[in-house]
């Protein structure tokens, strides 16, 4: 089982609140990713990072931001949550030159 | 724009039967085609993957069939078991430096 962790697992929050979703991996992987997944739908890449101080936006436009200050840590922040941000957020990591992405268990976010 | 089209959306199979999930793609630059398995409450996990230089890859009960000319690939689960009940995602990637594009997912239910 992959050593990639996400907290919290579930979050219910009111509109306008600032939230940070945590993602950590202990595998030393350089590449990390954030995906957004609505129920029964495909995964959409919203952010990725190739290493410390490297972040890029993914295919799906997102109002969230990310940071990569340490190799093992890739937090995602929403400055002002809205009901449209309600979704599941999945974090993943991989090694350069290795195809497999390892996924965390996800954070299910509900914004009221 | 959905670059990887997956069908069916849901599939119900009797125990011992064969489950078949299909994916079609448009981008001829795709060169890596993985299948991910996702159980409720978990992140996706790599099940099996193929590159376009082979037409079939088998790992245990799971087989990928790849048709480069038709731009299609499929997952076959032989002797399907209730424990195989999960959501399956196909994906594709145009080169190792690029990101995965996921299909919309197939919810498989294997009846006991």
């Amino acid at each position: 089982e992959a050593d990639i962790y996400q907290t919290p697992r579930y979050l219910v929050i009111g509109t306008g609140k600032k939230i940070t979703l945590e993602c950590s991996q202990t595998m030393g992987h350089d590449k990390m990713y954030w995906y957004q997944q609505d129920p029964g739908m495909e995964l959409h890449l919203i952010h990725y990072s190739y290493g410390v101080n490297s972040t890029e936006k993914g295919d799906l436009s997102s109002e969230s931001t990310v940071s990569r200050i340490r190799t093992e840590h890739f937090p995602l922040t929403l400055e002002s949550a809205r009901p449209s941000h309600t979704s599941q957020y999945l974090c993943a990591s991989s090694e350069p030159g290795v195809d497999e992405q390892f996924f965390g268990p996800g954070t299910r976010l509900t914004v009221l | 724009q959905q670059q990887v089209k997956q069908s069916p959306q849901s599939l119900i199979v009797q125990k011992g039967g064969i489950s078949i999930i299909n994916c079609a793609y448009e981008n001829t630059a795709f060169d890596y085609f993985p299948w991910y398995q996702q159980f409720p409450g978990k992140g996706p996990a790599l099940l099996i993957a193929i590159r376009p230089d082979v037409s079939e890859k088998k790992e245990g009960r799971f087989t990928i069939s790849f048709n480069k000319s038709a731009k299609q690939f499929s997952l076959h689960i032989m002797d399907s078991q209730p424990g195989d009940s999960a959501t399956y995602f196909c994906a594709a990637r145009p080169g190792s430096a690029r990101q995965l594009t996921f299909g919309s997912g197939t919810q498989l239910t294997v009846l006991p």
Side-chain angles (χ1 to χ4, degrees):
Chain A
E1 191 164 321
D3 297 323
I4 182 163
Y5 309 98
Q6 291 186 244
T7 57
R9 293 292 313 278
Y10 304 91
L11 179 61
V12 180
I13 201 164
T15 297
K17 299 292 185 181
K18 177 181 179 179
I19 61 169
T20 297
L21 307 184
E22 302 288 349
C23 176
S24 295
Q25 50 96 5
T26 59
M27 297 172 284
H29 289 169
D30 287 327
K31 292 185 177 181
M32 295 190 74
Y33 314 83
W34 275 104
Y35 291 88
Q36 186 174 338
Q37 181 185 31
D38 292 327
M41 302 294 287
E42 65 263 50
L43 286 73
H44 290 288
L45 182 70
I46 52 175
H47 298 283
Y48 62 97
S49 168
Y50 284 160
V52 172
N53 295 324
S54 157
T55 62
E56 301 286 344
K57 289 189 178 293
D59 299 329
L60 182 67
S61 176
S62 174
E63 295 170 345
S64 59
T65 59
V66 293
S67 63
R68 190 88 184 276
I69 300 174
R70 303 198 314 266
T71 297
E72 63 272 20
H73 196 213
F74 190 39
L76 180 146
T77 298
L78 276 166
E79 290 293 333
S80 179
R82 294 206 302 269
S84 61
H85 296 139
T86 295
S87 189
Q88 173 160 261
Y89 294 84
L90 289 161
C91 181
S93 71
S94 67
E95 289 185 44
V98 177
D99 296 318
E100 181 174 3
Q101 290 188 15
F102 294 91
F103 283 83
T107 293
R108 187 169 294 280
L109 172 66
T110 301
V111 184
L112 303 175
Chain B
Q1 180 184 3
Q2 187 178 13
Q3 297 190 58
V4 179
K5 295 184 179 180
Q6 184 172 347
S7 63
Q9 186 174 7
S10 62
L11 180 61
I12 299 175
V13 174
Q14 293 286 342
K15 178 182 176 181
I18 301 173
S19 304
I20 302 174
I21 305 171
N22 301 298
C23 282
Y25 63 96
E26 299 171 359
N27 188 346
T28 56
F30 286 147
D31 67 353
Y32 171 67
F33 303 89
W35 284 89
Y36 278 80
Q37 179 188 54
Q38 184 178 26
F39 292 105
K42 303 282 188 180
L46 180 66
L47 185 63
I48 187 172
I50 197 168
R51 294 193 180 276
D53 53 344
V54 296
S55 60
E56 185 176 282
K57 182 175 182 179
K58 183 176 181 179
E59 291 184 1
R61 296 185 293 110
F62 301 92
T63 300
I64 299 180
S65 297
F66 184 81
N67 186 329
K68 188 174 181 178
S69 60
K71 293 186 285 187
Q72 295 176 348
F73 59 109
S74 59
L75 175 70
H76 295 237
I77 305 175
M78 311 300 288
D79 188 26
S80 299
Q81 300 296 313
D84 297 330
S85 296
T87 300
Y88 293 80
F89 293 93
C90 63
R93 187 191 65 197
S96 60
R98 304 300 298 275
Q99 312 311 321
L100 286 171
T101 297
F102 284 85
S104 56
T106 296
Q107 186 169 354
L108 172 66
T109 302
V110 181
L111 301 176

